[in-house]
Amino acid sequence: MTRLDSAPKLPKPGPVQETRAPDAPAVQGFDSQRSKELKGERKERQRTFRNTDGTRGSADCPKR
């Protein structure tokens, strides 16, 4: 085991560079305005939707 005589020295910080926040990602998956319900796949307490990005999603409906 190697022992150091003193604490290691930290490097000096470099210059600060300003950055901008990334753009918000496009909506993916369910979009209440554009997703379409697949009524043929409706179940008693579940609805399935086809999303504009090609994915499908399901929503559970509460028991009344």
Side-chain angles (χ1 to χ4, degrees):
M1 177 188 287
T2 304
R3 298 204 182 268
L4 301 174
D5 293 332
S6 62
K9 295 180 182 176
L10 298 175
K12 293 183 179 184
V16 174
Q17 295 181 356
E18 296 230 4
T19 59
R20 66 177 188 84
D23 296 332
V27 174
Q28 294 181 349
F30 181 76
D31 179 349
S32 62
Q33 300 296 314
R34 299 186 299 165
S35 294
K36 305 289 182 197
E37 182 183 358
L38 301 173
K39 293 182 180 180
E41 297 187 25
R42 185 183 283 187
K43 296 179 182 172
E44 182 179 353
R45 293 193 180 101
Q46 186 179 56
R47 302 225 167 105
T48 301
F49 296 87
R50 183 181 67 238
N51 304 313
T52 57
D53 66 355
T55 61
R56 295 165 53 143
S58 296
D60 293 328
C61 302
K63 185 177 179 181
R64 291 185 178 187

